[in-house]
Amino acid sequence: MKEKIFIEGGRRLSGSIPISGAKNSCLTLMPLSLLSESELTLKNVPILSDVETMKALLESLGCVVSYQKSNNILNLRMSDKPLFLAGYEIVKKMRASILVLGPLLARFGEAVVALPGGCAIGARPVNLHLMALEALGASFSIENGYVKGKVATSLKGCKIKFPFESVGATANTIMAAVLAKGTTELVNVAREPEIIDLCTCLKSMGCKIEGDGERIIVIEGVNSLKGTIHNVVMDRIELGTYMIAGAISDGDIKLTGGNVALLEKFIEKLHEIGIEIKQAEDYLRVRRISNAPISSTNIDTEPFPGFPTDLQAQMMALLSIADGVSKIEEKIFENRFMHVPELIRMGANIEIKGRKAIISGVDKLKGAPVKATDLRASVSLVLAGLAAEGQTEIDKVHHIDRGYEDIIQKLKSCGAAIKRV
Ligand code: UD1
């Protein structure tokens, strides 16, 4: 069925929003079930369509998965009859599907995974994943759109230097190296909190890992992994998104369960443009400083701890109504400005020059029919709709279900006039 989101803009948000478990962490943790014969239990799991997609993928590989949505728990146990084919029908829905490659090769020595292909935000190749797994001893061929991987005897630890930081390639390589023989040293790895969460879970499964959260990770391979119970880290991108919801609506909201330490650069920018964030004992309070307009700023997206690319579209919606001219340079993905034409439809003044967007602030955005193109682009339109005069109608809203648990209810509880039809 074709669903749409309708927003009547101009309401100041006020109330409290709970922050869910991190989508990206959960998608990276779920494939750990392939590494062990014992059960993996994940708590604080968000209710999202991407989690459903990863569940379907793991089930197609022989994993038994129960998703208890009423209490946000996932139980995953790999059966003793593994299958090795991650088919295109599932992989094309979600690039994170490539994360089953490392675990399948490490434990079973065989994997056939459809190539994820391009996506709305860029080409997103998987060459670094394959380079690192090859260095550990896997061999690959590409046939009919599938990566076919084999391990002749077993993976062997070695030193691998990544040319640049990749979250996915770091995760895939860690998941393979934990079962490799000997020591693996990974240099220039991603330092995202979701990588730390992955390593924390792996350590509680019996892995020997040092340096997570730093540039060099050292892993001592083990023979087998035990089961564990792990709490998924909170979603820093959801937290940042709702901070912007408070700021863009000139509201005053409280966010519970969030951790500002995981968003330092982003919060520094919010302070700079006139948004106040106060940490109370068990919540964060977000509102504009006095009645001053939001100021303009310049932002470059960067790997953690820099400004996250996953908050770029939302920040652009906010800067659309700032006082003055802002610049955003997208340094992670080459085509992540799909939200720009839609924001322009709502009255924003944005010019694209290659990887740079120049945003000249306007007094008011105006409601309009717009189309969601990817997850973060779609939520930037919701944010713009909260600030806009009149009605915003967002089409193709299935994108938002991939990464925002219960967004309509969360915003409604703070007074937003938003509905899904
Ligand atoms: C992850 C996140 C995504 C986030 C991104 C960057 C998950 C499930 N997704 O995506 O939300 O936007 O990190 O923070 O965690 N690259 C290559 N070759 C490779 C791998 C990556 O060239 O083999 C490039 C990508 O095209 C991109 C850059 O490296 O330009 C960073 O991508 P990467 O960190 O790998 O992103 P993902 O893991 O796909």
Side-chain angles (χ1 to χ4, degrees):
M1 202 179 69
K2 244 183 122 188
E3 292 189 30
K4 288 185 180 179
I5 289 177
F6 292 86
I7 305 167
E8 214 41 72
R11 308 272 174 98
R12 286 186 160 173
L13 298 195
S14 154
S16 174
I17 297 180
I19 302 304
S20 302
K23 168 189 85 92
N24 283 352
S25 215
C26 199
L27 297 179
T28 312
L29 290 162
M30 290 171 74
L32 292 184
S33 56
L34 301 171
L35 285 171
S36 168
E37 59 181 25
S38 306
E39 187 166 270
L40 171 66
T41 298
L42 298 176
K43 293 183 166 176
N44 197 31
V45 172
I47 312 300
L48 299 170
S49 62
D50 268 9
V51 176
E52 292 280 8
T53 305
M54 184 57 89
K55 172 178 180 281
L57 176 60
L58 292 170
E59 283 170 342
S60 77
L61 298 172
C63 195
V64 180
V65 187
S66 120
Y67 191 4
Q68 300 165 41
K69 295 185 179 171
S70 56
N71 50 8
N72 297 82
I73 290 181
L74 266 174
N75 295 101
L76 310 103
R77 184 192 282 269
M78 189 56 183
S79 72
D80 52 9
K81 293 193 180 58
L83 297 160
F84 306 110
L85 177 70
Y88 184 60
E89 280 314 304
I90 299 182
V91 174
K92 74 176 182 194
K93 287 191 194 166
M94 190 182 72
R95 286 186 46 83
S97 306
I98 194 72
L99 295 174
V100 300
L101 185 61
L104 280 177
L105 288 171
R107 177 134 179 256
F108 304 109
E110 193 177 340
V112 182
V113 180
L115 277 170
C119 66
I121 64 174
R124 295 179 90 177
V126 292
N127 56 320
L128 296 183
H129 300 241
L130 303 187
M131 173 279 285
L133 295 170
E134 254 173 1
L136 289 170
S139 57
F140 294 105
S141 63
I142 310 277
E143 289 170 38
N144 309 105
Y146 281 79
V147 183
K148 293 192 170 179
K150 278 237 177 268
V151 178
T153 47
S154 65
L155 295 178
K156 287 190 188 60
C158 64
K159 180 171 175 170
I160 301 168
K161 189 166 183 219
F162 292 96
F164 53 87
E165 293 148 80
S166 156
V167 179
T170 300
N172 232 338
T173 314
I174 291 172
M175 291 191 278
V178 290
L179 282 181
K181 297 229 175 307
T183 309
T184 301
E185 186 182 341
L186 304 176
V187 180
N188 205 18
V189 289
R191 291 170 287 164
E192 267 64 5
E194 295 75 25
I195 293 290
I196 298 179
D197 203 30
L198 173 75
C199 292
T200 305
C201 184
L202 277 167
K203 285 179 207 172
S204 75
M205 294 171 83
C207 297
K208 295 174 189 155
I209 305 175
E210 279 176 23
D212 37 318
E214 294 165 34
R215 286 212 179 272
I216 299 178
I217 290 182
V218 179
I219 299 167
E220 204 62 56
V222 293
N223 289 329
S224 63
L225 271 61
K226 53 185 189 206
T228 195
I229 300 173
H230 178 81
N231 238 329
V232 178
V233 70
M234 70 97 203
D235 197 320
R236 65 196 166 99
I237 305 302
E238 191 197 22
L239 175 66
T241 301
Y242 287 123
M243 284 181 174
I244 293 180
I248 205 167
S249 69
D250 199 4
D252 184 352
I253 61 171
K254 291 177 182 167
L255 301 167
T256 55
N259 178 357
V260 278
L262 306 187
L263 270 181
E264 269 178 20
K265 190 74 194 177
F266 171 78
I267 286 174
E268 202 181 290
K269 281 289 165 191
L270 286 188
H271 278 148
E272 185 190 316
I273 65 172
I275 312 300
E276 183 182 83
I277 292 140
K278 278 202 173 149
Q279 172 92 64
E281 204 170 306
D282 55 354
Y283 63 84
L284 295 168
R285 184 173 180 190
V286 183
R287 57 183 176 160
R288 281 194 203 168
I289 297 169
S290 68
N291 282 330
I294 296 163
S295 338
S296 54
T297 187
N298 296 333
I299 290 168
D300 287 353
T301 62
E302 284 169 337
F304 190 84
F307 190 100
T309 173
D310 285 351
L311 283 168
Q312 179 257 106
Q314 301 89 314
M315 193 68 172
M316 196 180 298
L318 180 60
L319 293 175
S320 296
I321 54 163
D323 193 20
V325 179
S326 305
K327 288 193 193 112
I328 297 184
E329 181 159 359
E330 174 52 63
K331 290 195 158 170
I332 307 290
F333 293 110
E334 72 278 15
N335 187 25
R336 202 171 202 182
F337 286 141
M338 307 287 281
H339 42 287
V340 171
E342 305 303 308
L343 290 174
I344 290 174
R345 289 178 57 73
M346 297 179 71
N349 181 351
I350 306 170
E351 195 189 339
I352 303 290
K353 286 190 177 160
R355 283 183 170 217
K356 285 195 188 125
I358 297 133
I359 307 127
S360 305
V362 295
D363 282 344
K364 275 236 164 286
L365 293 172
K366 303 233 165 64
V370 286
K371 188 177 72 188
T373 48
D374 67 62
L375 169 59
R376 307 303 170 186
S378 60
V379 86
S380 77
L381 301 177
V382 170
L383 295 171
L386 292 174
E389 221 168 52
Q391 183 174 272
T392 299
E393 179 185 323
I394 307 174
D395 197 6
K396 305 233 185 286
V397 295
H398 59 275
H399 289 289
I400 222 164
D401 301 331
R402 297 187 54 189
Y404 288 92
E405 180 176 54
D406 221 4
I407 184 167
I408 304 291
Q409 209 37 52
K410 285 185 181 184
L411 289 172
K412 251 186 169 170
S413 73
C414 290
I418 183 168
K419 64 181 178 190
R420 185 164 175 152
V421 180

